[in-house]
Amino acid sequence: MAFLPDEARSLPPPPLLNKGSVWLAFAGWMAALIDNSFNQRPVFRSGLHRQILLATVGWFVGYQLVKRTEYIHAKVDRELFEYMRHHPEDFKAAGT
């Protein structure tokens, strides 16, 4: 993906069924249904190909956003642990 650096490849991929994918797939499907409604077509029966397409696009975008989010969280964790390793005096065990 264009907005993920190569170092993100070392992370395990997120599950296909995740919150971001499901929500954005649902949003894409609802966008197709709302478009049908605004254009006074049968809401569920008209444009099934658009419904499937927009749900698939939403699923893909949601998956990529979850992937990017996991990369950003991993990067922050790595930087935090690196800081803790270089400054152990700031992170003494409790009770000592």
Side-chain angles (χ1 to χ4, degrees), residues 5 9 16 22 24-25 39 65 95:
R9 293 177 189 250
L16 286 176
V22 171
L24 286 177
N39 292 315
L65 287 175

Side-chain angles (χ1 to χ4, degrees), residues 47-75:
L48 289 176
H49 61 288
R50 276 193 330 259
Q51 292 177 32
I52 293 170
L53 175 69
L54 290 178
T56 304
V57 167
W59 189 277
F60 177 76
V61 169
Y63 182 80
Q64 294 302 323
L65 287 175
V66 166
K67 207 168 161 182
R68 176 149 175 87
T69 302
E70 287 185 0
Y71 164 70
I72 298 227
H73 287 265
K75 183 177 156 190

Side-chain angles (χ1 to χ4, degrees):
M1 198 72 196
F3 62 97
L4 275 178
D6 288 335
E7 66 183 10
R9 293 177 189 250
S10 64
L11 294 173
L16 286 176
L17 187 62
N18 61 56
K19 205 181 333 181
S21 294
V22 171
W23 274 107
L24 286 177
F26 179 72
W29 181 60
M30 290 305 294
L33 295 181
I34 290 170
D35 180 58
N36 285 344
S37 177
F38 282 156
N39 292 315
Q40 297 180 353
R41 293 187 292 244
V43 175
F44 289 103
R45 294 179 304 168
S46 180
L48 289 176
H49 61 288
R50 276 193 330 259
Q51 292 177 32
I52 293 170
L53 175 69
L54 290 178
T56 304
V57 167
W59 189 277
F60 177 76
V61 169
Y63 182 80
Q64 294 302 323
L65 287 175
V66 166
K67 207 168 161 182
R68 176 149 175 87
T69 302
E70 287 185 0
Y71 164 70
I72 298 227
H73 287 265
K75 183 177 156 190
V76 168
D77 287 348
R78 183 185 67 213
E79 291 169 356
L80 176 66
F81 287 129
E82 188 68 19
Y83 180 83
M84 289 171 65
R85 191 171 65 84
H86 281 52
H87 300 88
E89 67 276 359
D90 293 338
F91 302 96
K92 295 185 180 183
T96 58

